[in-house]
């Protein structure tokens, strides 16, 4: 049973470059979440989708960040241009959400991003 | 504002001794509560969840947690620590509605000494 799959696992790039992080949620899940984890700020929700539609993107730090979910099995988080302060571990999570049903989120192993 | 507080940022125990990781949440009519564990270079893994069915919740790897409404607490316990339990533990609260309303505690790092 495949879990949430993220790629790449590690990314090192120079500031100013475009970075694209990818996520494949668990089949059958209808909600997808992007988080960022740093030592200073802990785990922060960036954006989440329900049925491929962005529901809340208030956690996206600024316009350099964008996320898409073209279909139920794929999502991307893009940073353009990247800056050193974007260095963090980015997690994708998915869950099955239905009114009255509170299913937990399942997390991928994350992408460790370093911007030089 | 809704919140969740993990009272200890770091807990150290000896192998074979009990584990207690503390979590308090701000009062609400019926929150859902979760404990997640994160091993190094891994994502968060669900340990257990409370959704009002029973106040004592059993999870994986011998962990359990008790929901105490009067104390607004949801402490995580394990009778006997194992070396493989060394990890970071997050208490998470959902105050209702969308899963996007999850509130994560700042985490407690558990060290297990041989």
């Amino acid at each position: 049973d495949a879990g949430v799959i993220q790629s790449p696992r590690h990314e090192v790039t120079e500031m100013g470059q475009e970075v694209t992080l990818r996520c494949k949620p668990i089949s059958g899940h209808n909600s997808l979440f992007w988080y960022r984890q740093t030592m200073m700020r802990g785990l922060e929700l960036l954006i989440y989708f329900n049925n491929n539609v962005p529901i809340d993107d208030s956690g996206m730090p600024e316009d350099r960040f964008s996320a898409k979910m073209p279909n139920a099995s794929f999502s991307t988080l893009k940073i353009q241009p990247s800056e050193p302060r974007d260095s963090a571990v980015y997690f994708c999570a998915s869950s099955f959400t239905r009114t009255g049903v509170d299913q937990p989120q399942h997390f991928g192993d994350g992408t460790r991003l370093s911007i030089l | 504002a809704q919140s969740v507080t993990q009272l200890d940022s770091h807990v150290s125990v000896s192998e074979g001794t009990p584990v207690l990781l503390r979590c308090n949440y701000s009062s609400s009519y019926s929150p859902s509560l979760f404990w997640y564990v994160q091993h190094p270079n891994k994502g968060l893994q669900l340990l257990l969840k409370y959704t009002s069915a029973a106040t004592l919740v059993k999870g994986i790897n011998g962990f359990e947690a008790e929901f105490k409404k009067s104390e607004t607490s949801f402490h995580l316990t394990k009778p006997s620590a194992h070396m493989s339990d060394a990890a970071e533990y997050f208490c998470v609260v959902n105050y209702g509605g969308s899963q996007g309303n999850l509130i994560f505690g700042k985490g407690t790092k558990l060290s297990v000494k041989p």
Side-chain angles (χ1 to χ4, degrees), chain B residues 13-30:
Chain B
V13 301
S14 297
E15 190 174 21
T17 63
V19 175
L20 170 64
L21 305 182
R22 298 182 293 168
C23 173
N24 285 92
Y25 62 94
S26 60
S27 180
S28 175
Y29 53 98
S30 57

Side-chain angles (χ1 to χ4, degrees), chain A residues 9 37 48 102-103 105 108, chain B residues 32 36 38 41 43 98-99 102:
Chain A
R9 288 298 315 278
Q37 186 180 38
Y48 82 94
D102 196 6
Q103 294 299 319
Q105 296 179 20
Chain B
S32 295
Y36 282 85
Q38 184 179 28
N41 300 316
S98 167
Q99 275 272 320
L102 291 187

Side-chain angles (χ1 to χ4, degrees), chain B residues 1-2 4 6 9-10 12 28 33 40-41 48-50 54 59-60 67 74 78 83 89 91 100 103 106:
Chain B
Q2 314 288 17
V4 57
Q6 292 185 242
S9 60
H10 191 191
S12 181
S28 175
L33 296 147
N41 300 316
L48 50 83
K49 65 176 181 177
Y50 166 77
I60 62 172
F67 173 71
F74 190 58
K78 182 173 180 178
M83 296 296 292
Y89 292 79
C91 183
I103 299 176
K106 293 195 178 299

Side-chain angles (χ1 to χ4, degrees), chain A residues 98-115:
Chain A
R98 191 176 75 222
T99 302
V101 177
D102 196 6
Q103 294 299 319
Q105 296 179 20
H106 296 258
F107 284 75
D109 285 339
T111 295
R112 185 173 296 274
L113 178 63
S114 297
I115 308 296

